[in-house]
Amino acid sequence: MAPKIMLLITLSVASAVLVSAASPPFQERKAIVVLKGPGQVSGNVTFIQANRGGPVMITGVVSGLTEGPHGFHIHEKGDVTNGCISTGSHFNPQGNKHGGPNDESRHAGDLGNIQADNTGVAQFSYSDSLISLVGAHNILGRAVVVHADTDDMGRGGFTDSLTTGHAGSRVACGVIGILDPITPWDKSAGHRSPSTSHVLLLTVVAAIASVLAANSI
Amino acid sequence: MSAKVEFAVEMSSPSCADKIQDRLIQNGISKSDIHISYETGIVTIATDQPSSLILNSIEKTGMKAVLKGYGSTTFDKNLGAAVAMLGGSTGYSKLGINGVVRFVQINNNECIVDGTIDGLSPGKHGIHIYECGDLSNGCDRIGDHLNLNQTSHGNQTDGPNFRHTGDLGNITANEDGRAIFYFKDKLINVSHLIGRSVGITENEDDCGKTKINTSDIDGNSGKKIACGIIARSSGLFENNKKICACDGVTLWEERDVPLAGPSRQRKI
């Protein structure tokens, strides 16, 4: 009996190793949004995610703003063919109310405010754990909007505080795209299935294991 | 018919529905493919025609229309819808070129490419998907042709091992500089395109057939003269937004105001 159990354990470990070998390691992903306004407002913001499901580092410089905080959001779509309407609402895959980036209940797209100095330049670098460059919270292909006023993070008591943070009209927009130069992940289709040989081996391992399990009863 | 397009139309009375239907039938769309709801202001059409032509024919009735959603006739689920604007705030183009290219996944194996571009020089221009969506230096940082299978350059009609994923062949601009195109592609899938770019080149793409110079890389198609990030867009009945929450601009006003800036300011 004991050797059989040992063999079972060995086979389970072997299959686990094979499964992990079949899925490639996560490679760092990088994205950029180039913000443009009809006026003087312009800037670049990069989004870098080093690990799958890990935080995304947001680094940017936006100039041409008025001094002070400006609401900074990601919308569900990146379609600006009919302006603000076609970008949909704030990116909100969890169906939450509007909030600030540090609130438990917030839209994934609620990135708070960016702070412009007295020359109208906002320089910022912070990380966010709710947005991602993979999976259901993937921000690629969505629009980024910089607002004229401060996002009250849902606390202002205005009619639109809980939806848009009462951040006023928009001063610049852009769509999040894959950053150049491209990382190796983005050269591929992104989802590789385990190779045929792995599947075959796993099937054999499973078959032996079930035979052994049946015998040991 | 493989695609379904959803338009919001500004109808002032129930009789508007008949006017829209008559106009669409005149444009070769059969009655059974048209669905009009005066109550919701939504018109859906099953079609294989470019969406810009349908929009124009609805607007010939004098009513304003806006494309709201795009999807498949056979699947209710959004299999993938995307749009790229060439020029404007989410694209880049040489002066005078502007256009919209839409990508709609209609089943697991087919993606519709539906576009209208103005301001081109008459004749053929290459159209490709590029691997990046980085507009920080115009169209110069959008990378190479999307090439998921590590193949040589080819034509849109070539087999998967004889073209890049992003090789969509050529589009043809008429004497007025307008190119309207509509085709299905079996190699691209909207899920692989999000966050990348579509670009138009100065010259005709030889589709890898001349074998001279850079034929097997870019078909000697020359510089990119317009490009846009491929952005997520709405599937059918996915976006019922009619007013911009932050400044009160309505669905019907959006086309007449800039995307951002002081002239939008009518805070609610």
Side-chain angles (χ1 to χ4, degrees):
Chain A
M1 190 66 102
K4 273 184 188 169
I5 289 167
M6 280 305 291
L7 190 57
L8 258 174
I9 292 168
T10 316
L11 285 170
S12 322
V13 170
S15 58
V17 168
L18 277 170
V19 168
S20 64
S23 44
F26 186 82
Q27 283 158 331
E28 187 174 63
R29 296 181 186 192
K30 297 180 182 180
I32 183 170
V33 60
V34 176
L35 295 163
K36 289 188 219 173
Q40 295 299 308
V41 185
S42 67
N44 287 353
V45 183
T46 57
F47 299 87
I48 298 177
Q49 187 173 34
N51 302 298
R52 179 183 290 276
V56 173
M57 198 66 202
I58 306 166
T59 308
V61 180
V62 181
S63 61
L65 296 164
T66 54
E67 186 179 357
H70 294 268
F72 183 60
H73 307 133
I74 298 173
H75 283 246
E76 186 185 339
K77 308 291 182 191
D79 178 355
V80 292
T81 54
N82 198 39
C84 159
I85 306 276
S86 49
T87 63
S89 306
H90 289 177
F91 178 41
N92 187 15
Q94 296 162 305
N96 288 339
K97 287 205 167 97
H98 181 73
N102 300 319
D103 291 338
E104 204 154 293
S105 176
R106 55 169 267 206
H107 304 143
D110 290 344
L111 299 181
N113 288 293
I114 56 172
Q115 188 79 29
D117 63 15
N118 59 8
T119 65
V121 177
Q123 251 186 303
F124 48 95
S125 186
Y126 60 105
S127 80
D128 189 273
S129 298
L130 206 51
I131 58 168
S132 181
L133 292 174
V134 60
H137 289 201
N138 192 342
I139 57 169
L140 278 176
R142 306 188 195 273
V144 171
V145 176
V146 179
H147 289 270
D149 303 331
T150 309
D151 180 343
D152 67 18
M153 313 215 186
R155 295 170 181 83
F158 295 97
T159 48
D160 58 348
S161 287
L162 290 173
T163 51
T164 65
H166 195 64
S169 70
R170 299 153 347 127
V171 292
C173 303
V175 171
I176 302 168
I178 294 170
L179 183 74
D180 177 56
I182 207 152
T183 54
W185 172 79
D186 295 311
K187 286 268 185 201
S188 73
H191 41 76
R192 299 184 186 89
S193 49
S195 68
T196 322
S197 58
H198 282 143
V199 173
L200 198 68
L201 264 168
L202 280 175
T203 317
V204 171
V205 168
I208 295 171
S210 57
V211 166
L212 280 172
N215 285 344
S216 59
I217 293 167
Chain B
M1 299 308 139
S2 38
K4 207 184 262 185
V5 197
E6 174 199 353
F7 295 95
V9 183
E10 194 176 36
M11 290 184 259
S12 54
S13 74
S15 65
C16 291
D18 295 333
K19 272 196 207 164
I20 295 167
Q21 181 169 295
D22 292 348
R23 176 62 71 167
L24 289 169
I25 289 170
Q26 272 179 41
N27 281 273
I29 293 165
S30 64
K31 197 175 168 182
S32 59
D33 290 330
I34 306 168
H35 185 266
I36 303 174
S37 165
Y38 168 69
E39 288 71 29
T40 59
I42 296 293
V43 175
T44 47
I45 297 144
T47 184
D48 279 330
Q49 285 187 32
S51 56
S52 66
L53 295 183
I54 296 176
L55 184 80
N56 285 347
S57 67
I58 296 175
E59 293 209 317
K60 277 187 189 143
T61 61
M63 292 173 239
K64 281 185 177 175
V66 168
L67 192 151
K68 292 284 279 183
Y70 211 151
S72 160
T73 47
T74 42
F75 294 88
D76 290 336
K77 191 178 160 229
N78 177 0
L79 300 176
V83 64
M85 288 185 85
L86 283 69
S89 64
T90 64
Y92 176 84
S93 67
K94 296 221 164 169
L95 205 64
I97 302 174
N98 63 74
V100 175
V101 185
R102 295 179 185 275
F103 299 89
V104 186
Q105 198 69 36
I106 51 165
N107 55 50
N108 291 332
N109 307 312
E110 285 178 303
C111 178
I112 286 176
V113 182
D114 168 9
T116 301
I117 300 172
D118 283 309
L120 297 167
S121 59
K124 289 186 174 181
H125 297 271
I127 177 169
H128 312 109
I129 312 278
Y130 295 83
E131 55 190 4
C132 301
D134 181 346
L135 293 180
S136 58
N137 194 22
C139 299
D140 290 343
R141 286 199 191 134
I142 58 173
D144 298 325
H145 293 176
L146 179 64
N147 186 6
L148 300 177
N149 303 323
Q150 309 310 314
T151 47
S152 278
H153 181 70
N155 196 356
Q156 187 262 331
T157 49
D158 290 336
N161 297 323
F162 303 95
R163 62 171 266 204
H164 297 143
T165 318
D167 288 345
L168 300 182
N170 286 290
I171 57 172
T172 306
N174 66 15
E175 284 175 3
D176 300 327
R178 169 171 285 194
I180 299 182
F181 48 96
Y182 187 97
F183 56 88
K184 290 173 191 166
D185 191 83
K186 288 184 188 297
L187 197 54
I188 57 170
N189 186 304
V190 171
S191 64
H192 300 155
L193 308 183
I194 300 294
R196 304 187 192 271
S197 304
V198 60
I200 307 298
T201 59
E202 195 171 19
N203 304 324
E204 179 177 351
D205 184 340
D206 69 29
C207 300
K209 306 297 181 275
T210 67
K211 308 288 177 201
I212 54 167
N213 300 325
T214 57
S215 179
D216 63 348
I217 299 167
D218 66 0
N220 294 305
S221 53
K223 288 180 188 156
K224 287 158 271 192
I225 50 172
C227 60
I229 300 180
I230 302 173
R232 292 172 204 260
S233 62
S234 289
L236 292 167
F237 317 115
E238 214 181 298
N239 182 1
N240 54 16
K241 191 169 170 180
K242 288 196 169 128
I243 189 159
C244 181
C246 64
D247 53 21
V249 174
T250 69
L251 175 68
W252 310 115
E253 294 165 332
E254 274 288 5
R255 72 173 71 190
D256 305 319
V257 297
L259 191 56
S263 49
R264 284 184 70 93
Q265 281 172 8
R266 263 173 301 143
K267 193 164 169 173
I268 46 170

